[in-house]
Amino acid sequence: SLEAQAGGGVAERYHVEQAAGGEHLGGVFVGLTDNVEANLSQWQALFDEETPDEVPWPDNLHEKCTGLELGLLLESLRPDGIVRNVQRQVREKLGDKFLEPPPLDLQQCYDDSAPNVPLIFVLTMGADPMAELMKLAVSKGMGDAVSAISLGQGQGPKAVTGIKGGTDTGAWVVLANCHLAKSFMPVLEGMVENFDPATLNPRFRLWLTAMPDESFPVSILQNGIKMTVEPPKGLKSVMIRAYLGFDSDWYESCTKPKVFKKLLFGLTFFHALILERRKFGPLGWNIRYAFSEPDRDISSQQLKMFLEDFQETQWAALNYMVAECNYGGRVTDANDRKTIVKILSDFYTPDILDPNYKLSKSGIYYAPKSGTIEDAIEYIKGLPLNETPEVFWLHSNADLTALINEGNDILRTAIGLMPRGGSGGGKTPEELFSEVAADIETKLPAKKFDIEMVCYKYPTDYNESMNTVLPQELLRFNRLYTRIKDTVVVLQKAVKGLAVMTPELEVVGNLFLENKVPESFKKVSYPSLKPLSGYIVDFLKRLEFMGGWIDHGPAVCFWMSGFFFTQAFMTGVKQNMARKYKVPIDAVIWNFWIQKPETLPSVKKDMWHNDFERPDK
């Protein structure tokens, strides 16, 4: 078999994917299985490439593929290449400008607004539009006429007073964090609906900021000008956004321009670096911190102040203020605190003034020569669109999980945007998810496990802890079985009009169409990241495993990840060992012997009769 020839790797991955049947797609997929078997070493080398989408494929297959076909192959072989392939398709079809999100143009939004039309910032984590808003206010001569109110408990009356005063005097009223004042939203909705353009001061504007929240008034959303303030993705985009936000006069006003511009670039690079480290999960930060643009702004102001007020550069003070206070104030994990201090020391250092000092091992990243803001932006635009882990001083494999997760997010979003039928004589969404529910019902066993019978067949035994583990596992599986069975049965009845189609059932039906596992299943389920189809197959295999245990007794080789609560099984094994040899259970430890790959097929085929034997009790 392919698995035997390659010992895993590309063969195992491809074997799993092609088993579902890809040849019916036609095109390059015809004969692909034979191609892989005939050129297995070449496919294995491709599988091991750091960027498989940028190197030649066996038989020049990559040149024969359309963009979609290449994407499907990458999804099967190397899912971490999906993002790069999507970017390539966008670049070839639409151009580079669609890969680099444009900065928010507040001026244009303001020009489209009116006194009775609110301007709404839809916030995301780490985004704060206040700096750009104040910059616009100053340019419009409204710098002293901005009334900012952060909503929360007890701030409603102040907001009402501010809006009434602003409509008369022509001030800009900023209500921040509307999602934190749910009880005030109906009041705000009523005030906005009663705005009369004839009586409002023409200079008055109402600015609202809020995270996505159900309590935010729909009428305000419909009538207002909506802006999304989303942190840019990638080192390059974060740094461009930062430099576009700097004021030219402020940038050129420091009396030590060379030191200031070098260190400001280092600070901006540091800010982008610690933001992008979050995509690596625990490899980046133990906790996902909400570093924001105000952290960078206050640090840049302090940098200029320290350079102006002191003859010598205060390296220790600058490092402390940024790493321990401005950014470090958000850091709660001790190891993360050490990490951020160490990272900053690579940028706030005398070495950065050396023209030959590099910010990464590859030498691609460095602090450019002192020049104008436009010069710095031009250098940043020349940086790679996708940074590699080496700039974070991480191993190249660190990027795999992040890229796979991002690729899966893209595919899930694309599936969610697909039409769900109902037009042109096709099936309605209700009919479609009813079919999915019926398919799941037919695959489920006719009844759940008989716990009473199992307890009679395997009574509590001092020398066999597995007799206690089994009923506990069956109880959990029965709970999940009941949840799935009841849901699919009621969902089918609701589609036929025999039961009420509740909002919860409708959500479940829509998730079925998107091949996602409903939250109601997850609440009583074992941890799983599989889509719905794979989840049901996996669940049935687990039921089969438990059923075999009931019929044949404890297995010779156990499916460790097939348990609901693996820790109970492992503790039971240690109890059996401790009671057999009359030793304290705390003295029993686990040892591991790696078995040969040839033993795996027989174990996967039959966990009770294979190449291994169960030790005597």
Side-chain angles (χ1 to χ4, degrees):
S1 68
L2 290 173
E3 290 166 319
Q5 292 179 51
V10 62
E12 183 175 358
R13 172 94 190 162
Y14 180 71
H15 181 73
V16 172
E17 298 293 341
Q18 64 90 30
E23 304 226 354
H24 70 280
L25 296 174
V28 297
F29 297 98
V30 176
L32 185 59
T33 304
D34 296 334
N35 188 322
V36 173
E37 290 180 333
N39 304 286
L40 194 56
S41 59
Q42 298 179 41
W43 283 95
Q44 183 70 53
L46 174 68
F47 181 80
D48 294 333
E49 280 286 344
E50 187 170 335
T51 54
D53 52 322
E54 298 177 1
V55 297
W57 286 37
D59 292 339
N60 291 322
L61 190 65
H62 64 296
E63 297 179 354
K64 305 173 185 176
C65 291
T66 65
L68 179 59
E69 289 172 339
L70 183 61
L72 290 172
L73 285 172
L74 283 171
E75 199 281 330
S76 296
L77 294 170
R78 284 285 300 274
D80 56 297
I82 294 176
V83 176
R84 288 190 296 269
N85 183 62
V86 170
Q87 290 174 341
R88 180 185 295 105
Q89 300 305 316
V90 171
R91 183 181 295 111
E92 292 176 356
K93 305 295 184 183
L94 301 175
D96 284 332
K97 66 179 183 179
F98 286 91
L99 292 176
E100 300 176 5
L104 177 64
D105 190 349
L106 271 184
Q107 177 64 53
Q108 182 179 354
C109 296
Y110 176 80
D111 293 340
D112 294 338
S113 68
N116 63 321
V117 179
L119 295 102
I120 307 162
F121 288 103
V122 182
L123 302 178
T124 55
M125 186 177 69
D128 187 351
M130 282 305 297
E132 295 181 21
L133 179 56
M134 291 306 300
K135 185 178 178 180
L136 176 66
V138 171
S139 68
K140 294 294 181 182
M142 299 291 291
D144 297 328
V146 176
S147 175
I149 301 171
S150 182
L151 293 181
Q153 187 174 6
Q155 298 300 305
K158 294 182 180 179
V160 172
T161 303
I163 293 174
K164 290 181 178 180
T167 57
D168 294 333
T169 62
W172 286 8
V173 180
V174 183
L175 302 185
N177 302 321
C178 292
H179 57 284
L180 300 180
K182 297 182 179 181
S183 60
F184 177 68
M185 289 300 99
V187 178
L188 176 64
E189 183 177 20
M191 296 186 71
V192 173
E193 288 179 350
N194 292 326
F195 279 167
D196 184 2
T199 60
L200 293 175
N201 189 306
R203 293 171 62 85
F204 168 73
R205 292 294 186 276
L206 177 61
W207 302 80
L208 307 173
T209 74
M211 297 285 285
D213 193 274
E214 294 179 355
S215 65
F216 196 87
V218 175
S219 63
I220 297 180
L221 276 177
Q222 291 174 339
N223 299 321
I225 296 175
K226 295 166 285 293
M227 300 158 283
T228 299
V229 185
E230 186 172 350
K233 177 185 173 297
L235 284 176
K236 180 178 178 179
S237 298
V238 175
M239 296 183 69
I240 288 178
R241 179 185 175 98
Y243 270 84
L244 289 175
F246 291 146
D247 181 75
S248 297
D249 295 336
W250 175 83
Y251 186 77
E252 300 291 348
S253 61
C254 184
T255 56
K256 300 175 182 175
K258 180 181 177 181
V259 179
F260 172 67
K261 292 177 181 179
K262 285 275 190 177
L263 290 180
L264 183 63
F265 184 88
L267 173 65
T268 306
F269 197 94
F270 163 78
H271 174 78
L273 194 74
I274 62 175
L275 282 178
E276 291 305 304
R277 280 182 71 94
R278 296 183 302 191
K279 70 181 181 182
F280 298 109
L283 293 178
W285 301 107
N286 290 331
I287 300 173
R288 187 178 173 86
Y289 301 105
F291 301 120
S292 63
E293 292 179 357
D295 298 334
R296 186 202 65 223
D297 293 339
I298 188 63
S299 298
S300 60
Q301 296 290 345
Q302 288 174 347
L303 170 62
K304 185 177 180 183
M305 181 186 69
F306 271 79
L307 292 177
E308 296 283 2
D309 293 349
F310 295 92
Q311 186 67 28
E312 299 293 331
T313 305
Q314 304 298 308
W315 301 106
L318 287 170
N319 275 275
Y320 181 85
M321 292 299 296
V322 175
E324 298 284 359
C325 298
N326 302 337
Y327 288 92
R330 300 180 183 273
V331 179
T332 55
D333 184 84
N335 291 321
D336 285 344
R337 185 174 291 274
K338 294 177 183 177
T339 302
I340 196 170
V341 170
K342 179 59 180 175
I343 292 174
L344 182 63
S345 66
D346 288 336
F347 304 100
Y348 269 14
T349 171
D351 294 337
I352 200 171
L353 304 178
D354 183 353
N356 296 319
Y357 184 70
K358 306 298 182 183
L359 302 179
S360 68
K361 189 175 181 180
S362 64
I364 297 175
Y365 301 91
Y366 57 88
K369 296 179 180 179
S370 299
T372 63
I373 288 182
E374 290 72 20
D375 293 334
I377 292 176
E378 195 63 30
Y379 163 73
I380 297 171
K381 287 183 176 180
L383 296 176
L385 178 63
N386 299 312
E387 64 277 357
T388 57
E390 63 93 17
V391 72
F392 302 94
W393 296 95
L394 296 174
H395 190 273
S396 58
N397 286 348
D399 220 15
L400 288 176
T401 302
L403 288 173
I404 291 173
N405 290 338
E406 186 178 357
N408 290 336
D409 287 341
I410 291 174
L411 296 178
R412 279 193 292 266
T413 302
I415 291 173
L417 294 174
M418 291 175 64
R420 296 175 179 172
S423 61
K427 296 180 180 179
T428 65
E430 290 77 12
E431 291 173 333
L432 291 173
F433 62 63
S434 179
E435 290 180 0
V436 175
D439 181 59
I440 293 175
E441 184 183 9
T442 58
K443 292 178 180 178
L444 291 175
K447 57 183 180 180
K448 58 185 178 182
F449 294 116
D450 187 344
I451 305 296
E452 186 176 351
M453 181 275 293
V454 172
C455 290
Y456 179 80
K457 185 175 182 179
Y458 299 102
T460 303
D461 185 348
Y462 177 82
N463 295 311
E464 182 53 273
S465 295
M466 295 297 104
N467 290 3
T468 303
V469 173
L470 178 60
Q472 293 176 350
E473 286 293 307
L474 296 182
L475 282 171
R476 299 185 181 99
F477 277 107
N478 277 353
R479 188 182 304 118
L480 178 56
Y481 171 89
T482 302
R483 178 65 57 85
I484 296 176
K485 184 70 175 286
D486 290 349
T487 300
V488 297
V489 170
V490 174
L491 186 60
Q492 294 176 77
K493 290 182 177 179
V495 172
K496 297 175 182 178
L498 303 177
V500 177
M501 178 64 80
T502 63
E504 292 78 12
L505 275 178
E506 192 169 357
V507 170
V508 170
N510 290 331
L511 290 174
F512 278 8
L513 293 180
E514 297 175 12
N515 199 24
K516 294 181 180 179
V517 179
E519 287 297 327
S520 57
F521 292 5
K522 292 180 180 179
K523 289 180 179 179
V524 294
S525 173
Y526 45 84
S528 177
L529 297 176
K530 295 180 180 292
L532 179 65
S533 55
Y535 177 84
I536 295 299
V537 171
D538 180 64
F539 176 58
L540 295 177
K541 288 182 179 179
R542 292 170 187 256
L543 295 182
E544 183 182 353
F545 167 46
M546 289 294 156
W549 191 342
I550 296 172
D551 295 338
H552 308 298
V556 175
C557 298
F558 285 89
W559 180 16
M560 292 288 288
S561 59
F563 289 96
F564 244 95
F565 191 59
T566 310
Q567 295 91 324
F569 165 74
M570 299 180 73
T571 301
V573 173
K574 292 175 70 175
Q575 284 179 342
N576 285 349
M577 186 74 175
R579 290 167 179 173
K580 176 181 178 181
Y581 293 101
K582 305 296 188 296
V583 296
I585 192 171
D586 292 341
V588 178
I589 63 172
W590 286 98
N591 284 321
F592 302 90
W593 286 270
I594 307 301
Q595 305 300 317
K596 294 182 178 180
E598 292 78 12
T599 63
L600 184 59
S602 66
V603 172
K604 293 175 71 174
K605 183 178 180 181
D606 190 339
M607 285 180 275
W608 287 266
H609 307 92
N610 44 59
D611 297 338
F612 298 92
E613 294 182 1
R614 192 177 185 216
D616 293 334
K617 294 184 179 179

